[in-house]
C-alpha cells in the first residue's frame, strides 16, 4: 500500500512541477524567449518556436499527470525532457556561461556560479527520480487512465499475505 501512496505523491508532485514551470513561462513569453536564447544552443530561427512551445508542452505533461492519464508514458517523456534540461545546464556550465536557467520563469544573463548550477542539476535529478519512480510504479489512486488507476483499499489477497 505504501507504494501506491508514494506513487500518488510522485505523480502529483511532478504534475505540480510541470504546471508551475509552464504557467510561469506562459505568463511572460518575452522572458522565456530571452531564457532560451541565453543557452546559446539553438539557431536564432528556432529560439522563438521552442520558447513558445515548451511552456505548453510542460503544461500538457502536468495535466496528464494530474488527472492520471498515460502515467508511465508521461513519466517517460518527462524523464527524457528532464535529461535534456540537465544536459543543457551542464553544457552552459561547461562553456562558462553565466545565466539563470529560466526553469521557473525568468532566465537570461545572471550572476551565477558553480554552486547555482549544481543546485539546479540536483533539483532536476530529484524531479527525474520522481519520473523514474512513476515509470516503474505508474498505478496510483485517483488516476483516470485504466492502466494508471489503482485503489487505496486493501484487497483480500493482501490481507491473507500479511
Amino acid at each position: 500500500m505504501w507504494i501506491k501512496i508514494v506513487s500518488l505523491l510522485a505523480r502529483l508532485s511532478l504534475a505540480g512541477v510541470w504546471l508551475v514551470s509552464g504557467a510561469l513561462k506562459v505568463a511572460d513569453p518575452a522572458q522565456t524567449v530571452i531564457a532560451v536564447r541565453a543557452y546559446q544552443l539553438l539557431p536564432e530561427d528556432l529560439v522563438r518556436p521552442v520558447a513558445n512551445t515548451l511552456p505548453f508542452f510542460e503544461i500538457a505533461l502536468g495535466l496528464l499527470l494530474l488527472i492520471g492519464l498515460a502515467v508511465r508514458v508521461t513519466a517517460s517523456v518527462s524523464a527524457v525532457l528532464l535529461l535534456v534540461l540537465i544536459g543543457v545546464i551542464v553544457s552552459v556550465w561547461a562553456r562558462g556561461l553565466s545565466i539563470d536557467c529560466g526553469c521557473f520563469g525568468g532566465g537570461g544573463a545572471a550572476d551565477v556560479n558553480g554552486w547555482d548550477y549544481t543546485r539546479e542539476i540536483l533539483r532536476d535529478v530529484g524531479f527525474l527520480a520522481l519520473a523514474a519512480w512513476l515509470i516503474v510504479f505508474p498505478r496510483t489512486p485517483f488516476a483516470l487512465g485504466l492502466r494508471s488507476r489503482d485503489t487505496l483499499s486493501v484487497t483480500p489477497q493482501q490481507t491473507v499475505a500479511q
Side-chain angles (χ1 to χ4, degrees), residues 1-15 65-66 133-134 137-143 150 152:
M1 172 130 138
W2 68 271
I3 290 176
K4 296 175 189 181
I5 293 169
V6 172
S7 293
L8 176 62
L9 293 174
R11 179 171 63 89
L12 296 178
S13 297
L14 193 55
L65 287 168
L66 183 65
W133 179 273
L134 289 171
F137 302 107
R139 296 178 62 86
T140 63
F142 314 113
D150 208 338
L152 283 176

Side-chain angles (χ1 to χ4, degrees), residues 74-138:
T74 306
S76 298
V77 172
S78 295
V80 170
L81 181 55
L82 286 162
L83 287 170
V84 168
L85 295 173
I86 290 167
V88 298
I89 292 169
V90 169
S91 168
V92 164
W93 189 6
R95 290 181 289 139
L97 300 177
S98 184
I99 67 168
D100 175 348
C101 75
C103 301
F104 291 93
D111 185 23
V112 298
N113 58 35
W115 177 241
D116 295 311
Y117 290 132
T118 301
R119 278 197 323 256
E120 290 171 358
I121 291 166
L122 290 174
R123 177 201 61 216
D124 287 354
V125 166
F127 299 152
L128 182 59
L130 294 175
W133 179 273
L134 289 171
I135 291 168
V136 177
F137 302 107

